[in-house]
Amino acid sequence: MNFDKLKKKWGIKSNFQLVLIFIVFGITGSASVVLGKPLLSFFNINEELFLNIYLGKYIFLFIKIILIFPLYQVLLLIFGALFFQFSFFWNIEKQFLKKIGFKRFFK
């Protein structure tokens, strides 16, 4: 697979930096799933609460995603900083936040 298009799109100069970015994405995804369980427990949210509700399984999944998604975004910046890729991930976060309606905060 040729990663030159991806490197150009992301403004990456080296394959090493690309590998670091992939590692950060992988660690962040895994960590958000692992840390998401205690987060759901903290809010006392579990699948059993939704068993007797129509489409309860999907409602639980939706709530789980809503709670874990911000955790993922924060972890992405933390792990990005630990791997010296903070500026790359901060630019990605700014683009994302602009798309979801926080454009006025990033001029």
Side-chain angles (χ1 to χ4, degrees), residues 9 15 75 86 98:
K9 178 181 178 182
N15 288 334
L75 289 174
F86 180 81
K98 286 178 186 177

Side-chain angles (χ1 to χ4, degrees), residues 54-65:
Y54 178 71
L55 298 176
K57 187 182 248 184
Y58 299 106
I59 294 169
F60 171 72
L61 182 61
F62 178 74
I63 291 171
K64 187 176 180 179
I65 290 170

Side-chain angles (χ1 to χ4, degrees), residues 94-107:
K94 287 191 292 189
Q95 290 173 2
F96 172 74
L97 290 170
K98 286 178 186 177
K99 287 181 182 179
I100 64 169
F102 292 97
K103 187 178 268 188
R104 64 179 176 252
F105 296 110
F106 303 102
K107 293 183 179 182

Side-chain angles (χ1 to χ4, degrees), residues 10 15 17 22-23 26 30 32-33 38 51-52 65 70 79 86-89 91-92 97-100 102-103 107:
W10 285 351
N15 288 334
Q17 186 180 10
F22 286 154
I23 289 171
S30 299
S32 65
V33 170
L51 286 178
N52 297 326
I65 290 170
F79 287 120
F86 180 81
S87 61
F88 172 80
F89 287 104
N91 287 332
I92 294 235
L97 290 170
K98 286 178 186 177
K99 287 181 182 179
I100 64 169
F102 292 97
K103 187 178 268 188
K107 293 183 179 182

